[in-house]
Amino acid sequence: AQSVTQPDIHITVSEGASLELRCNYSYGATPYLFWYVQSPGQGLQLLLKYFSGDTLVQGIKGFEAEFKRSQSSFNLRKPSVHWSDAAEYFCAVGASYGQNFVFGPGTRLSVLP
Amino acid sequence: DAGVIQSPRHEVTEMGQEVTLRCKPISGHDYLFWYRQTMMRGLELLIYFNNNVPIDDSGMPEDRFSAKMPNASFSTLKIQPSEPRDSAVYFCASRDGTSGSFVGRGGELFFGEGSRLTVL
């Protein structure tokens, strides 16, 4: 079974600063990886996804993530954070078979003006 | 497309009462999932359906919880009787398992806005 860890529970950055949110997964086969964002009182919205091919994936809202198989990581990055990026971010891994999507515990992002 | 639609958005009830949460998946999606989100346990998969058939309900906490999908456009999650520890946000999600970019195994999960349940 797959698992996901997000080492940082809460991160605070200043507006305009760069951002990196960490995600590590455990899965024996080729993983399918996702980043979702959840604003307060809202559902989860897909930011980006990785299935295969280019390991640097571009998403919405200026986010990107890089898949590193050797490190079992799929870290999310943004070069310049906006105040509207304050939210909860979830990394998820989907199995090659079946429908078991496993979500990490989430990282809450706060943005200082 | 209207997206995944859940109702009610908020429900406050008293312990022992029956609670029914509703979900309308995205048209054409053949998988439907029910998740529960709490501070302590994060996002937990409760049950999922494929073509209206329950496939895996191992995440359903106990017999007080039941879920049905009578047709492709409607699902319910019922709690009877409800308890304070059931207080959480319940999300419905759907996906297309037959096409999309998921290497031939369908697309990503699309989530509704959730139903926040408070049991007093």
Side-chain angles (χ1 to χ4, degrees), chain B residues 49-93:
Chain B
F49 296 82
N50 178 217
N51 292 321
N52 314 335
V53 176
I55 302 300
D56 184 354
D57 65 354
S58 60
M60 296 285 263
E62 50 198 272
D63 291 345
R64 297 184 298 105
F65 285 69
S66 62
K68 294 181 180 179
M69 192 166 186
N71 57 63
S73 59
F74 184 66
S75 177
T76 59
L77 178 67
K78 187 173 293 187
I79 308 172
Q80 167 62 19
S82 58
E83 297 182 2
R85 60 193 168 122
D86 302 330
S87 297
V89 181
Y90 292 82
F91 286 103
C92 177

Side-chain angles (χ1 to χ4, degrees), chain A residues 34-57:
Chain A
F34 308 83
W35 274 100
Y36 282 84
V37 61
Q38 183 182 27
S39 298
Q42 301 296 312
L44 281 73
Q45 179 186 20
L46 181 72
L47 281 176
L48 47 78
K49 57 195 176 188
Y50 170 79
F51 302 131
S52 64
D54 192 347
T55 56
L56 185 62
V57 180

Side-chain angles (χ1 to χ4, degrees), chain B:
Chain B
D1 199 312
V4 177
I5 299 173
Q6 292 187 245
S7 65
R9 289 294 313 276
H10 301 274
E11 174 91 5
V12 180
T13 190
E14 294 188 344
M15 184 173 62
Q17 296 298 306
E18 177 179 292
V19 174
T20 300
L21 308 178
R22 298 172 179 80
C23 175
K24 176 178 168 56
I26 292 173
S27 177
H29 282 191
D30 54 338
Y31 283 90
L32 184 141
F33 302 76
W34 282 100
Y35 283 86
R36 178 171 67 175
Q37 185 180 39
T38 61
M39 289 290 291
M40 292 298 295
R41 301 174 68 91
L43 269 167
E44 303 174 275
L45 176 64
L46 300 177
I47 185 172
Y48 76 86
F49 296 82
N50 178 217
N51 292 321
N52 314 335
V53 176
I55 302 300
D56 184 354
D57 65 354
S58 60
M60 296 285 263
E62 50 198 272
D63 291 345
R64 297 184 298 105
F65 285 69
S66 62
K68 294 181 180 179
M69 192 166 186
N71 57 63
S73 59
F74 184 66
S75 177
T76 59
L77 178 67
K78 187 173 293 187
I79 308 172
Q80 167 62 19
S82 58
E83 297 182 2
R85 60 193 168 122
D86 302 330
S87 297
V89 181
Y90 292 82
F91 286 103
C92 177
S94 70
R95 70 183 288 257
D96 179 350
T98 60
S99 63
S101 55
F102 202 174
V103 198
R105 289 188 54 78
E108 64 273 14
L109 293 173
F110 289 83
F111 283 82
E113 294 194 323
S115 294
R116 180 175 294 276
L117 173 64
T118 302
V119 183
L120 304 175

Side-chain angles (χ1 to χ4, degrees), chain A residues 50 52-58 65-69 74 77:
Chain A
Y50 170 79
S52 64
D54 192 347
T55 56
L56 185 62
V57 180
Q58 301 297 320
E66 186 171 12
F67 170 58
K68 293 185 177 180
R69 184 185 299 275
F74 189 57
R77 300 194 294 250

